[in-house]
Amino acid sequence: MSPDDLRHRLADDLAARADDELTDLLAHRPDLASPPPQGTAVLAQRALSAASLALVGDDLDLLGVAVLEQVLTPVPKGRRKTPPPVTVDAVVGALADRADADELRSRVDLLRRRAVIWGPDDDLSFGANADAALPWRSKALTGPLAHLDAAEIAALIDGLDERRLELLRTLARGPALGRSRDADPDADPNAPVPQLIAAGLLARVDNQTVELPPMVGALLREEPPLRTDDLRPPPLVDAGGKPRFSARDIDAAAGGEALELIRHMTALLTTLGTAPAAVLRSGALGVRELRRLAKATGLDVKRVGLLAELAGYLRLIDAGFPDPPPPNDTGEQAFTPTTAADTWLHQPRERQWAVLLEAWLAMPRRPWQIGEPDRDGNALATLSGDLHDAYAPVQRRLILDALTAAPTAAAVSAEAVVAALHWQHPRQIRRFGLRVVGETLEEARELGLTAHHAITSVGRAALADDGSDPEAETALLRAIHTALPDPVDHFLTQADLTLTVPGPMTPELADQVEMVADLESGGAASVYRISEESVRRALDAGRSSSELIAMFTAHSRTPVPQSLTYLIEDVARKHGQLRVGIAASFIRCEDPTTLAAVLRSPAAETLALRALAPTVAVSPSEVRDVIDALRAAGFAPAGEDSSGTLVDLRQRGSRVNISRQRRQPTPRRSTPAPAQLANAVSRMRSHDRANAAQPATARTGTTTTTPVRATGGGESATALIQLALRAGRRLRVGYVDAQGSASRHVVSPRILGAGQLIAVEEGSDEEQRFSLHRVTSIDLLDS
């Protein structure tokens, strides 16, 4: 059958479908709807193109691929001159030993609905480019290895010598297709390639091309085998197995991970605010700076890389000139928290977690690749442009979507996820290697999307929230609130000057505790240590000793030890004896002896102190420099304003303005709205009716007839419309709308006036308006 005959048969099949069926076809093959096809003949031509069929193959599972392979497998002619037709029963019978008959028939119906095949059950048809929908060039699921299990294929591989095995390994590491003259059927049968073809370990594509079967490649890469001897979906979990952890336990573990994630992100932003990280010439964050941040925050390098990538994507950090400049500033650009970081730091924990989840799911980067060699052998740097991959968010969602098919709280191994993804997306087998899936699941665990190898309630809600449905966002925040432990407003004070906090603190208590104590160990129960330095920090913030003691008394569930009270009172007694103000700066002290000691110290020369009175001295240095120098000399000064009131001297850290907006991800294939699809189907029907309509003819001679037609929307078109109105005849109108889209319509005219034709289109009861200046042609039709 010629290509034209196939196109006409498919066009007839599409024209016979209901509007809902055509809408469903365009929804699943959106490339066919742009621009709107002018009739089912054009739709059929597009549907038969190799590029469009290749997109269909992205959505076929392994069983669908097997059915399509079987349909495309030539049927032996026998004694016939032409091969017999392909039937549904023959396809199902050929694969019935490896899959359920109902599932096979459902895949046949799926391929029909996608217009990959068409026709009745006893005579299926397909186009010349139908094999473009297959994930491989050869017939892997109907070839010589199709009925062998993984152990039998492994035995064939083990029987090879090193030369032939290395040839297969080369194809397994790189593209599965290889070029060789030995692929020719007339090549030397003792050469490696013909022997591998004979054993089924290579498949011949043409006389110079071979392909490595995907089952062989998976075994050589030491990944979970792709089973072709059984085309049923591989199980995610063992049948009858009971979950080790309850759903509540899993969500609680995820909440704990989220609290650690938020704490670590806060620590990273604080560290970068104090000491911004240098920017490489490539615009990335170097390994040396990454290690420095890891040491300063007490985290491992891989964790800091993940946090930095999340912060960079959210624009919580950016490259710029820090303001105010930090100590030892080089005057060059550095990675510094932005003003957006302050917004995130002051949000509730639920919102902070939701923002980080949204960023990770949408981020077109893979943080776990940091440090790996690129194509040139150089290590990939944090925040480097080389890490960008638009497929990364799609890949993440597909991996996590595979987990959602498992029962609630069921643990799923990375190997089971890989096997499921290979079955669901055979075209993407090389994208879902065991390491990729394992590293992605590990990052998901660190984000709280999974816990104990099971997807959490927060993970399911996050996958359902694509940003377009407010109810989905509300459900995500509700799941987050349930997973996070309730905040506590108390702690346990120990005699060794430590505070044990049995859970996340309320924001009010957290501000007070973090002001007067330093975190020693995090987790579900955090431990803070109180020291002379931390007490002085609270006094610098304007707290008095009595306020600090009152805070400990009010919130401690254990008696406040005397050692803590003595520490606070002793530090407070020394604190503030010296007062530093703005002159450039001044120092005042109620005790002349203390000020005299200051003037004798090495700091006096450094600061160029000059005594104005027994209790007052001035310095040309800034207030912050004076306080730091006096503290380095062993004194305990406090800052004050012009009224003598203590001021908060805690450093807020440097900030930069956001230099560039976050890049919004673009969909790989845009899906038209239902209204657009319905409009496209309506236009196709109009074109089909217009093409089928017979124009009226007029005799121009003894035997010659010509169609009654007017071109454009001028006087001749107006006269032809008036004739149709008087005679009650239909018209075929060629029209170009405001967007430049051309269409043809069969209409019954109703009113002509004010430069517009009002008519009812055939097949519809609604009136349509056609501006005459947009009309390209008008044909008078037979009644």
Side-chain angles (χ1 to χ4, degrees):
M1 189 177 296
S2 68
D4 288 340
D5 292 337
L6 289 172
R7 187 178 71 252
H8 291 319
R9 288 190 63 177
L10 178 57
D12 293 340
D13 181 272
L14 294 174
R17 297 189 184 190
D19 287 356
D20 290 343
E21 292 175 323
L22 288 178
T23 302
D24 179 73
L25 171 63
L26 297 180
H28 288 90
R29 296 182 67 177
D31 58 294
L32 301 181
S34 180
Q38 297 184 5
T40 51
V42 176
L43 179 64
Q45 185 173 4
R46 292 183 188 177
L48 290 172
S49 67
S52 181
L53 287 167
L55 294 176
V56 177
D58 290 343
D59 298 326
L60 292 180
D61 57 25
L62 194 68
L63 188 56
V65 171
V67 169
L68 181 57
E69 273 195 21
Q70 190 62 46
V71 170
L72 300 180
T73 299
V75 180
K77 294 182 181 180
R79 296 182 178 180
R80 301 185 181 188
K81 295 183 179 180
T82 59
V86 179
T87 66
V88 174
D89 290 340
V91 172
V92 172
L95 300 173
D97 59 331
R98 294 184 283 163
D100 299 331
D102 291 341
E103 291 295 324
L104 291 170
R105 293 184 183 278
S106 70
R107 295 310 188 278
V108 173
D109 291 339
L110 174 68
L111 293 173
R112 270 201 189 115
R113 294 197 302 272
R114 301 292 183 269
V116 179
I117 61 176
W118 62 92
D121 287 354
D122 57 356
D123 188 10
L124 295 177
S125 300
F126 52 87
N129 298 318
D131 57 353
L134 297 175
W136 31 72
R137 297 277 299 277
S138 57
K139 301 297 189 292
L141 304 183
T142 56
L145 300 184
H147 290 78
L148 302 183
D149 60 24
E152 292 171 321
I153 298 176
L156 292 176
I157 297 174
D158 292 340
L160 299 176
D161 58 25
E162 188 60 30
R163 182 183 177 188
R164 289 160 179 75
L165 188 59
E166 184 58 32
L167 191 154
L168 296 182
R169 286 173 179 163
T170 301
L171 294 176
R173 288 192 298 265
L177 289 171
R179 303 276 294 178
S180 174
R181 293 180 180 178
D182 291 339
D184 193 295
D186 297 330
D188 181 7
N190 295 320
V193 170
Q195 288 184 348
L196 292 172
I197 293 175
L201 297 176
L202 281 181
R204 179 184 289 111
V205 177
D206 55 40
N207 290 347
Q208 291 188 338
T209 309
V210 293
E211 185 175 36
L212 183 71
M215 307 83 77
V216 179
L219 291 174
L220 291 172
R221 291 189 297 270
E222 298 182 353
E223 294 179 352
L226 178 69
R227 292 197 59 181
T228 56
D229 60 316
D230 187 351
L231 297 175
R232 299 171 183 85
L236 281 172
V237 296
D238 294 334
K242 293 184 178 180
R244 181 180 176 186
F245 299 94
S246 67
R248 179 176 297 181
D249 293 336
I250 290 173
D251 289 343
E257 285 291 341
L259 292 177
E260 285 294 278
L261 179 70
I262 294 170
R263 183 175 69 83
H264 293 166
M265 179 64 80
T266 303
L268 177 64
L269 295 176
T270 303
T271 302
L272 286 174
T274 304
V279 180
L280 298 178
R281 283 183 295 179
S282 63
L285 180 66
V287 176
R288 182 180 300 176
E289 287 294 309
L290 193 66
R291 290 173 179 170
R292 176 182 68 82
L293 293 173
K295 183 177 180 180
T297 56
L299 306 173
D300 61 66
V301 173
K302 188 175 181 180
R303 177 76 164 184
V304 175
L306 171 62
L307 295 172
E309 287 289 343
L310 288 171
Y313 179 75
L314 289 168
R315 296 295 184 261
L316 301 182
I317 62 173
D318 205 349
F321 297 100
D323 181 27
N328 303 321
D329 183 37
T330 61
E332 298 180 351
Q333 287 192 337
F335 284 109
T336 312
T338 66
T339 51
D342 296 316
T343 302
W344 182 83
L345 288 170
H346 289 87
Q347 286 180 331
R349 295 171 304 152
E350 291 84 356
R351 181 61 63 179
Q352 287 179 324
W353 190 9
V355 168
L356 295 177
L357 292 179
E358 175 193 355
W360 185 77
L361 287 172
M363 183 168 59
R365 308 169 68 80
R366 297 185 185 89
W368 57 267
Q369 289 183 320
I370 295 173
E372 294 191 351
D374 60 11
R375 295 179 180 177
D376 299 327
N378 301 318
L380 293 170
T382 309
L383 301 176
S384 167
D386 294 334
L387 282 175
H388 182 86
D389 186 354
Y391 189 70
V394 178
Q395 190 179 53
R396 265 187 219 108
R397 285 189 173 270
L398 290 176
I399 292 173
L400 293 180
D401 281 339
L403 293 179
T404 61
T408 303
V412 182
S413 66
E415 291 78 5
V417 175
V418 170
L421 289 170
H422 288 181
W423 189 90
Q424 295 168 0
H425 309 281
R427 175 163 282 179
Q428 309 298 336
I429 283 179
R430 301 295 285 270
R431 289 182 179 269
F432 293 106
L434 186 58
R435 182 158 186 264
V436 172
V437 172
E439 294 286 357
T440 302
L441 291 176
E442 176 61 20
E443 285 187 357
R445 183 195 63 79
E446 295 184 42
L447 269 292
L449 292 167
T450 65
H452 301 306
H453 304 289
I455 193 164
T456 64
S457 299
V458 173
R460 294 180 186 273
L463 292 175
D465 181 19
D466 59 359
S468 60
D469 186 2
E471 293 185 1
E473 182 180 3
T474 302
L476 172 60
L477 292 175
R478 190 183 306 116
I480 288 176
H481 180 78
T482 303
L484 289 174
D486 294 331
V488 298
D489 61 353
H490 63 274
F491 48 75
L492 307 177
T493 309
Q494 309 294 334
D496 60 350
L497 300 182
T498 59
L499 305 178
T500 301
V501 186
M505 293 179 286
T506 60
E508 298 79 10
L509 181 59
D511 289 340
Q512 298 184 66
V513 169
E514 291 170 0
M515 184 189 303
V516 74
D518 296 313
L519 180 66
E520 194 165 81
S521 65
S526 304
V527 178
Y528 289 80
R529 180 165 295 280
I530 306 167
S531 63
E532 184 175 339
E533 177 93 16
S534 65
V535 173
R536 185 181 296 116
R537 183 174 65 234
L539 296 173
D540 283 345
R543 301 296 190 272
S544 66
S545 59
S546 59
E547 289 176 332
L548 293 178
I549 294 173
M551 186 273 291
F552 283 111
T553 304
H555 294 284
S556 178
R557 290 289 178 88
T558 58
V560 179
Q562 282 188 335
S563 57
L564 176 57
T565 304
Y566 290 159
L567 174 64
I568 295 174
E569 292 176 344
D570 183 57
V571 175
R573 190 178 303 110
K574 300 175 184 178
H575 185 269
Q577 287 184 342
L578 294 176
R579 298 298 180 96
V580 179
I582 299 174
S585 58
F586 65 85
I587 301 174
R588 71 178 183 87
C589 182
E590 301 297 337
D591 183 7
T593 305
T594 302
L595 184 57
V598 171
L599 294 173
R600 291 193 302 271
S601 69
E605 183 177 354
T606 304
L607 299 173
L609 291 179
R610 182 169 60 90
L612 299 181
T615 58
V616 180
V618 294
S619 170
S621 301
E622 296 293 334
V623 173
R624 183 77 251 177
D625 296 336
V626 173
I627 291 176
D628 290 341
L630 292 177
R631 285 182 175 170
F635 300 97
E640 69 175 13
D641 58 17
S642 58
S643 64
T645 303
L646 290 177
V647 295
D648 189 349
L649 294 175
R650 290 178 296 172
Q651 294 186 357
R652 301 297 181 183
S654 303
R655 292 292 185 268
V656 295
N657 292 323
I658 300 176
S659 61
R660 60 195 188 282
Q661 294 299 318
R662 188 172 69 193
R663 179 165 40 187
Q664 297 297 326
T666 55
R668 296 173 64 85
R669 271 192 287 166
S670 58
T671 302
Q676 294 175 303
L677 296 177
N679 182 55
V681 172
S682 176
R683 287 197 172 203
M684 281 193 294
R685 297 299 193 195
S686 297
H687 277 285
D688 287 347
R689 286 191 293 267
N691 292 334
Q694 295 295 324
T697 57
R699 185 178 297 276
T700 58
T702 57
T703 59
T704 304
T705 59
T706 59
V708 181
R709 166 178 290 186
T711 302
E715 294 181 359
S716 58
T718 302
L720 191 55
I721 294 172
Q722 291 173 342
L723 173 61
L725 285 169
R726 290 193 301 269
R729 303 280 288 276
R730 297 175 303 154
L731 296 172
R732 180 168 62 190
V733 179
Y735 193 73
V736 177
D737 62 17
Q739 288 72 39
S741 178
S743 58
R744 294 204 298 173
H745 309 263
V746 175
V747 300
S748 297
R750 291 291 183 264
I751 301 173
L752 176 65
Q756 286 188 332
L757 166 65
I758 301 176
V760 177
E761 184 165 4
E762 188 173 309
S764 171
D765 295 331
E766 297 181 0
E767 290 185 344
Q768 295 195 31
R769 296 175 180 269
F770 299 91
S771 299
L772 293 183
H773 69 280
R774 295 189 180 279
V775 171
T776 59
S777 64
I778 294 181
D779 292 298
L780 185 68
L781 302 180
D782 286 334
S783 56

